[in-house]
């Protein structure tokens, strides 16, 4: 059953159907809403007859006409997109990415693409809203007091005034016609694009939208912000991956089209093949996947240069789609924040969990010195190989491939095991640095870190809700959030990155 079309009198010039409806959008109706505070995830909270409605592309205090995108009568809350502004906020601006602007997308008969849900808000006010969301989330989920999390969200000077041209990694869908596309938010459609305003200029200068990527399920493009090289990763649809002859034909076609690109741009095909492992005790089969890289041109990695005025300059190899901070200046920003929070002394032992290609480990190793040790723990085999390459000339850096939970357990079970065998060499861990995935570290990892008893925990997070939940666990076990810095490393989106320093009375003492 469709929701009521409007909650009140319709202002002059507004009709119940002011635009063609996007193909993928069900006819759920529209509401006139007085918009409340910003919530985690990029939605504002409004209410219709007491029911919460999460509204995207709005600003707190506005009155808007909202197109319902999810409105089952049995749901506790509904979702909607702003399609017309009746009373605008003083902080509203024209969204500089037309395809992400709901006010222009719906009249054109389509939904806005995802990934720029704050693009209609002036940059300074975006950060004020992010600070409010961070505080609210830390109080609600993290059980912190407002005084403990009274933060400012720090922006980077290079992003002023518009918040554009910062993204170094972008993954595209591919349209039926072979064009690079960006999916709409929470929808099935993807919209072909001819530029990405949030991406560094090196991506837009490649003009990849002119290439026919038919046969690909997705295309990931890495364009480092501090270099001129690039890497294109094409993932074929399963039907092509499973047929060697068909795969070769498509790969030859992609190679021919990419030949016009500058030589500094490499390209690979990531061939993902599903296998079925029979389960004798169950009638079903459990799927697994193998990945093979087919080189089209160049190499399978990019070089990332990270320069800090205080801590020096280092170069890193990052293979394929391995994790690396997306904002062009995020690596240096996070390195400086972590180094200042950790305050590593010569001879200390540092555990760097979820270490990726060894970004933080490299700088931490300089501070720990030859009498110290940095244990760089990473589960992904490709990232671990990169870390070994990046840290090969740093004898105090030890790369351990394995899940954080399992490595921590091994340290607790056999602390006397030598460094060369992946142990602690009977040394105490002075500081744990962790940058877990967006799902957070979780209780299994946190409980083992707690048992390890370091003097400090430095927790880097790009997902505030997960950080808040892990903060709650730590504070319930005696840790205090001594300091937290929050950075706007994804302008025009709702995302932010926090660096928290946790300590515990008596922790890390000899």
């Amino acid at each position: 059953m469709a929701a009521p079309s409007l909650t009140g009198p319709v202002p002059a010039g507004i009709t119940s159907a002011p635009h063609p409806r996007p193909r993928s959008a069900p006819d759920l109706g529209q509401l006139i809403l007085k918009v409340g505070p910003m919530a985690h995830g990029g939605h504002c909270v409004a209410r219709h007859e007491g029911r919460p409605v999460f509204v995207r592309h709005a600003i707190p205090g506005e009155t808007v006409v909202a197109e319902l995108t999810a409105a089952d009568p049995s749901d506790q809350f509904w979702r909607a997109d702003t399609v017309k502004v009746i009373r605008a906020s003083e902080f509203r601006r024209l969204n500089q990415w037309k395809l992400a602007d709901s006010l222009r997308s719906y009249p054109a008969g389509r939904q806005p693409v995802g990934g720029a849900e704050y693009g209609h808000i002036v940059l300074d006010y975006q950060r004020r809203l992010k600070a409010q969301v961070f505080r609210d989330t830390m109080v609600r989920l993290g059980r912190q007091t407002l005084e403990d999390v009274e933060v400012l969200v720090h922006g980077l000077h290079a992003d002023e005034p518009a918040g554009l041209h910062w993204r170094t990694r972008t993954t595209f869908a591919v349209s039926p016609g072979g064009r690079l596309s960006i999916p709409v938010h929470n929808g099935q459609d993807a919209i072909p694009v001819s530029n990405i305003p949030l991406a560094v200029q090196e991506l837009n200068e490649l003009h990849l939208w002119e290439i026919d990527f038919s046969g690909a399920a997705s295309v990931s493009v890495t364009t480092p912000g501090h270099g001129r090289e690039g890497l294109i990763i094409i993932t074929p649809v399963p039907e092509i991956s499973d047929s060697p002859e068909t795969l070769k034909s498509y790969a030859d076609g992609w190679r021919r089209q990419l030949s016009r690109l500058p030589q500094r741009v490499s390209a690979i095909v990531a061939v993902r093949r599903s296998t079925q492992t029979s389960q004798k005790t169950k009638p079903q089969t459990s799927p697994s996947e193998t990945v093979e890289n087919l080189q089209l041109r160049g190499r399978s990695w990019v070089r990332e240069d990270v320069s800090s005025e205080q801590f020096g300059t280092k170069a890193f190899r990052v293979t394929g789609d391995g994790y690396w901070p997306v904002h062009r200046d995020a690596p240096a920003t996070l390195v400086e924040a972590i180094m200042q929070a950790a305050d590593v002394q010569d001879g200390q032992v540092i555990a760097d969990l979820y270490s990726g290609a060894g970004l933080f480990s490299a700088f931490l190793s300089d501070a720990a010195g030859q009498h110290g040790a940095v244990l760089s723990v990473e589960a992904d085999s490709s990232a671990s190989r990169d870390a070994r390459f990046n840290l090969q000339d740093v004898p105090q850096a030890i790369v351990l491939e394995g899940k954080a939970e399992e490595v921590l357990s091994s340290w607790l079970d056999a602390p006397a095991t030598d460094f060369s065998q992946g142990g602690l060499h009977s040394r105490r861990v002075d500081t744990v640095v962790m940058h877990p995935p967006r799902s957070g570290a979780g209780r299994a990892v946190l409980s083992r870190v707690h048992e390890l008893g370091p003097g400090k925990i430095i927790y880097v997070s790009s997902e505030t809700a997960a950080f808040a939940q892990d903060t709650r666990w730590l504070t319930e076990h005696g840790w205090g959030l001594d300091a937290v810095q929050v950075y706007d490393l994804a302008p025009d989106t709702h995302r932010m990155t926090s660096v928290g320093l946790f300590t515990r009375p008596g922790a890390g003492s000899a």
Side-chain angles (χ1 to χ4, degrees), residues 70-215:
D72 190 292
S74 63
D75 289 341
Q76 291 184 341
F77 59 85
W78 290 348
R79 297 185 183 275
D81 282 346
T82 299
V83 296
K84 191 174 184 68
V85 180
I86 299 172
R87 184 173 293 108
S89 166
E90 62 182 305
F91 302 109
R92 177 173 283 274
R93 67 178 183 182
L94 180 68
N95 194 320
Q96 293 163 96
W97 190 1
K98 181 179 179 181
L99 295 182
D101 185 0
S102 67
L103 301 185
R104 287 180 283 178
S105 295
Y106 275 89
R110 57 173 178 78
Q111 291 177 285
V113 299
E117 60 277 359
Y118 272 24
H120 60 291
I121 309 171
V122 296
L123 195 57
D124 179 67
Y125 197 60
Q126 290 184 31
R127 293 167 183 156
R128 288 164 60 183
L129 290 174
K130 290 182 182 186
Q132 169 249 305
V133 170
F134 182 86
R135 290 191 296 267
D136 291 350
T137 306
M138 291 296 289
V139 170
R140 180 172 54 89
L141 296 180
R143 298 294 191 265
Q144 303 298 294
T145 66
L146 278 174
E147 293 76 14
D148 292 333
V149 289
E150 189 62 41
V151 299
L152 296 175
V153 174
H154 303 284
L156 304 187
H157 178 73
D159 292 334
E160 304 293 344
L164 304 179
H165 308 310
W166 53 266
R167 190 176 189 94
T168 63
R169 283 151 171 79
T170 305
T171 297
F172 298 91
V174 178
S175 74
R179 291 190 59 190
L180 296 183
S181 305
I182 297 291
V184 302
H185 176 71
N186 278 352
Q188 300 298 316
D189 288 349
I191 308 299
V193 295
S194 57
N195 74 324
I196 302 292
L198 301 189
V200 294
Q201 293 287 23
E202 287 84 351
L203 170 63
N204 293 315
E205 290 170 358
L206 294 178
H207 298 286
L208 297 177
W209 6 92
E210 299 173 3
I211 292 177
D212 182 358
F213 285 101
S214 293

Side-chain angles (χ1 to χ4, degrees), residues 387-400:
R388 290 190 183 93
F389 178 87
N390 296 327
L391 301 170
Q392 60 184 316
D393 296 325
V394 186
Q396 65 269 35
I398 302 158
V399 178
L400 304 176

Side-chain angles (χ1 to χ4, degrees), residues 218-425:
S218 65
V219 176
S220 297
V221 185
T222 298
T223 43
H226 300 286
R228 297 293 299 171
E229 59 187 4
L231 175 63
I232 300 168
I233 304 174
I234 303 171
T235 302
V237 297
E239 295 80 2
I240 292 175
S241 295
D242 293 339
S243 170
E245 291 184 2
T246 305
L247 175 62
K248 182 180 184 304
S249 176
Y250 274 90
D252 289 343
W254 293 327
R255 183 183 289 109
R256 284 193 298 270
Q257 293 185 82
L258 295 173
S259 64
R260 67 167 181 78
L261 296 178
Q263 288 187 349
R264 69 179 188 276
V265 180
S266 301
I268 61 176
V269 178
V271 184
R272 303 178 184 274
R273 294 190 175 96
S274 296
T275 60
Q276 298 290 330
T277 303
S278 298
Q279 302 292 312
K280 295 181 179 180
T281 58
K282 298 181 181 180
Q284 299 89 357
T285 57
S286 59
S288 60
E289 185 179 68
T290 61
V291 181
E292 300 176 8
N293 288 335
L294 171 64
Q295 201 74 35
L296 295 182
R297 51 180 283 155
R299 58 197 189 193
S300 61
W301 55 273
V302 296
R303 169 175 165 152
E304 291 280 1
D305 295 324
V306 180
S307 181
S308 164
E309 183 175 342
Q310 183 176 357
F311 300 106
T313 299
K314 296 183 183 298
F316 297 85
R317 184 187 79 180
V318 183
T319 299
D321 57 358
Y323 173 77
W324 188 260
V326 172
H327 191 291
R328 63 175 181 271
D329 294 323
T333 300
L334 294 176
V335 162
E336 291 178 352
I338 288 166
M339 294 297 291
Q340 290 166 7
D343 189 24
V344 177
Q345 303 300 305
D346 184 71
Q348 287 189 331
V349 176
I350 314 298
D352 182 12
L353 308 182
Y354 313 97
S355 59
L359 169 62
F360 303 147
S361 295
F363 289 91
L364 291 165
S365 295
D366 286 349
Q370 294 185 359
H371 299 293
V374 173
L375 307 171
S376 187
V377 180
E378 171 57 47
D380 182 78
S381 58
S382 177
S384 290
R385 285 194 295 271
D386 283 341
R388 290 190 183 93
F389 178 87
N390 296 327
L391 301 170
Q392 60 184 316
D393 296 325
V394 186
Q396 65 269 35
I398 302 158
V399 178
L400 304 176
E401 182 180 333
K403 295 180 179 179
E405 177 183 348
E406 296 174 356
V407 173
L408 288 166
S409 295
S410 71
W411 291 344
L412 293 168
D413 293 341
T417 303
D418 192 77
F419 280 144
S420 63
Q421 301 299 315
L424 294 180
H425 197 62

